[in-house]
Amino acid sequence: MERAILKSISAENFASFAEKIVFSCIADESKKEHKMNTFKIGDNIINKVSYIYGANGSGKTFFCKVFREIQRMVVLSPLFMMKKLPIKDLFPSEDLLKPMPKFAFDIAYKDLPTTLGIDIIIDEITYHYEFSVFNQMVVYELLTKKYRRTEKILERTSPSFEDIILKSELKSFEDNKHVVKKEALCLAMAAMLNNDLADTIVNAIKEINVVNMTYPRLDPTEIEAFSEERIKKYVKVLKKADPTIREMHINYKEEEVARQKIESDDFENREIIQKKTTVGVKTEHALYDHGLEIESGTDQIEFFKDESLGTIKLFTALPYLFDILEKGGVLVLDEIENGLHLSLVKEIISLFINEKTNPHNAQLICTTHQPLLVSNDVKKDQVWVISKDKFGKSFLKRLSDKNFSRAKVNLTNKILEGALGCNPEKFF
């Protein structure tokens, strides 16, 4: 089974998104150019690359956090059933434990739940999953599948496990649904207890890579990303930025930080094991004497301390790029151009468009300020605009939904002119 394909994602009463926003990777078939930069899966035509434009503070990073918030709930849900598990000790970032952020600038939204949703395609079957959270309790949860017809296989109408209805492939979890706590997702609990469908969907959600390019350090990833073959590829690319690099050594460390038994007779004395991973980088550089290389294998600089920020940013992205392009999947890059030259950013994007470098139809979703990324070979339905009104509400609109006077429009000029609503007001 290949990795899942993202069809859409939605959010309501989350951070700056007061009203419901829906982002879709489905190509707009009403447009003449709809098959360009796309691939077909079943009856769906999917865009390979999508752009999210917006001014500073418009909500681009919050858009990326929708993915992270869904993943956070999936990861944390099994831990909520523990009675004595020191959750705070397991997560170095307190952000993981904060309540889901609601829209903060209108008191009417304080009494409304936050709803997040995602549609993914697995083996040509579309799964729609959404949940609502209020006061840190899951008040609604829904999972449907669609192949020829739509079938509801999970529905939850209150925080109580008694109000969970399971059908089809999730019916086997019926006898264990009492373990679902008010704060936990039923789907995540079913996955932990080895329900095949739940496990498949949860893993598909967790495999979406969300990378903030403003962060200069490498987040831990799978050890396969640092094989000898992969490191050689990284060095080959990084030499274009720093021609003195000769070798790169990665210290990938994984350690167990907590082990807790699940306190229930139904779980056969099972345990949840929490692990922490760290990645260290050391590079060897050439040494010259009047232009002649006399020695290699030296470590004149510390990579994360002394290397240029652009080179570090490039290296930060490489493991995710190679993972996605070699295996398929979804990569979300927040501020893709941060620290990188425009031509390099365009080259990264072209890797996803090219069928040879992207044989598994990986998807790239990137937020950006850079209008020059939108050239003649970009369709209007690939471009989304986030704008914020005077009340602090962010809105997401697709350019293909806008009416243009001519069929062929220079999107770069339109963005620079401010006609599309994604430029900031004058600050000074």
Side-chain angles (χ1 to χ4, degrees):
M1 183 188 75
E2 292 196 352
R3 290 189 177 182
I5 294 163
L6 178 70
K7 192 172 180 179
S8 67
I9 196 163
S10 63
E12 183 175 2
N13 195 18
F14 175 78
S16 63
F17 301 114
E19 310 299 328
K20 184 176 182 178
I21 58 123
V22 179
F23 164 83
S24 175
C25 294
I26 302 296
D28 186 346
E29 297 187 38
S30 67
K31 307 301 180 184
K32 291 182 179 179
E33 76 276 21
H34 78 272
K35 291 185 179 180
M36 185 174 66
N37 302 339
T38 64
F39 64 92
K40 186 175 176 61
I41 178 76
D43 296 329
N44 300 284
I45 298 177
I46 308 292
N47 284 326
K48 295 181 181 180
V49 178
S50 298
Y51 305 83
I52 313 292
Y53 276 91
N56 297 84
S58 60
K60 298 187 303 299
T61 297
F62 283 137
F63 169 81
C64 296
K65 286 184 177 180
V66 174
F67 293 91
R68 284 277 177 89
E69 194 66 29
I70 295 174
Q71 293 174 328
R72 184 183 77 101
M73 285 294 295
V74 165
V75 170
L76 287 183
S77 287
L79 300 181
F80 288 132
M81 65 180 295
M82 306 302 185
K83 295 180 180 180
K84 299 179 180 179
L85 189 64
I87 295 180
K88 289 187 177 180
D89 295 340
L90 302 180
F91 297 97
S93 173
E94 293 184 0
D95 288 340
L96 289 171
L97 303 175
K98 290 182 178 179
M100 198 173 292
K102 293 184 176 184
F103 182 68
F105 305 112
D106 190 328
I107 60 174
Y109 291 87
K110 292 182 179 180
D111 295 326
L112 298 176
T114 295
T115 301
L116 305 177
I118 187 169
D119 284 45
I120 53 178
I121 302 174
I122 303 174
D123 295 334
E124 298 192 12
I125 299 175
T126 296
Y127 294 94
H128 168 77
Y129 180 58
E130 67 176 87
F131 59 87
S132 300
V133 176
F134 182 71
N135 289 338
Q136 301 188 60
M137 293 187 295
V138 180
V139 296
Y140 182 73
E141 195 172 355
L142 176 69
L143 175 66
T144 65
K145 60 179 288 190
K146 181 180 179 181
Y147 183 58
R148 291 186 174 86
R149 62 184 182 87
T150 300
E151 180 183 2
K152 188 183 296 184
I153 54 182
L154 185 162
E155 186 173 26
R156 176 184 190 173
T157 54
S158 84
S160 172
F161 71 86
E162 295 177 344
D163 292 322
I164 297 174
I165 299 174
L166 301 168
K167 296 180 180 179
S168 190
E169 294 99 324
L170 288 182
K171 189 66 176 177
S172 62
F173 185 63
E174 183 73 33
D175 292 338
N176 287 323
K177 71 179 185 181
H178 65 277
V179 305
V180 180
K181 303 299 182 183
K182 296 179 179 180
E183 308 91 342
L185 297 175
C186 177
L187 184 70
M189 296 304 302
M192 192 196 73
L193 296 181
N194 301 324
N195 178 276
D196 289 339
L197 177 61
D199 186 59
T200 297
I201 295 173
V202 165
N203 283 334
I205 292 172
K206 291 164 64 175
E207 283 177 351
I208 297 174
N209 280 306
V210 184
V211 181
N212 188 335
M213 291 298 289
T214 64
Y215 187 58
R217 291 296 185 109
L218 177 70
D219 288 330
T221 185
E222 296 180 358
I223 192 170
E224 289 81 4
F226 305 112
S227 64
E228 289 187 15
E229 181 181 357
R230 275 287 192 88
I231 292 175
K232 288 180 180 178
K233 292 181 179 180
Y234 300 159
V235 171
K236 183 178 180 180
V237 174
L238 292 175
K239 276 185 177 180
K240 301 292 181 67
D242 184 350
T244 69
I245 292 179
R246 292 294 178 266
E247 300 285 344
M248 174 174 281
H249 305 283
I250 307 293
N251 180 21
Y252 183 92
K253 186 178 180 182
E254 185 177 79
E255 57 182 335
E256 181 181 313
V257 295
R259 181 187 293 262
Q260 178 71 30
K261 289 185 177 181
I262 300 174
E263 298 183 3
S264 173
D265 294 337
D266 296 330
F267 296 98
E268 302 175 353
N269 203 31
R270 299 182 191 180
E271 295 178 317
I272 286 184
I273 300 173
Q274 188 71 25
K275 295 182 178 180
K276 177 182 178 182
T277 57
T278 55
V279 178
V281 179
K282 180 180 179 182
T283 53
E284 296 181 6
H285 296 254
L287 189 63
Y288 297 90
D289 182 6
H290 293 85
L292 297 176
E293 185 172 338
I294 60 172
E295 184 180 354
S296 61
T298 59
D299 54 348
Q300 295 97 327
I301 67 172
E302 295 182 32
F303 186 78
F304 283 121
K305 180 181 177 182
D306 300 321
E307 190 59 86
S308 74
L309 182 60
T311 303
I312 294 173
K313 291 289 181 68
L314 177 57
F315 173 67
T316 299
L318 286 179
Y320 302 102
L321 284 174
F322 279 96
D323 277 347
I324 293 295
L325 291 170
E326 291 178 2
K327 301 176 184 177
V330 183
L331 177 62
V332 182
L333 288 181
D334 190 13
E335 294 197 20
I336 186 173
E337 77 278 10
N338 190 284
L340 300 180
H341 192 279
L342 176 62
S343 62
L344 177 56
V345 176
K346 285 190 170 184
E347 186 177 358
I348 290 173
I349 292 172
S350 70
L351 295 175
F352 287 82
I353 300 299
N354 191 312
E355 293 181 2
K356 292 183 179 180
T357 53
N358 186 11
H360 300 288
N361 294 321
Q363 296 167 265
L364 173 65
I365 300 167
C366 54
T367 73
T368 180
H369 301 109
Q370 179 53 267
L372 295 176
L373 290 180
V374 181
S375 54
N376 293 331
D377 59 350
V378 175
K379 302 181 296 157
K380 292 189 287 292
D381 70 350
Q382 292 179 258
V383 183
W384 295 74
V385 171
I386 289 183
S387 58
K388 182 180 285 186
D389 67 13
K390 66 179 182 179
F391 302 106
K393 294 181 179 180
S394 294
F395 298 91
L396 182 65
K397 301 293 183 182
R398 201 177 200 177
L399 285 196
S400 58
D401 295 333
K402 289 181 173 287
N403 294 320
F404 294 103
S405 57
R406 293 171 297 178
K408 192 172 182 61
V409 176
N410 189 315
L411 295 180
T412 298
N413 288 343
K414 284 289 184 182
I415 292 173
L416 289 172
E417 292 167 2
L420 304 179
C422 53
N423 288 355
E425 298 288 338
K426 290 185 178 181
F427 277 64
F428 302 101

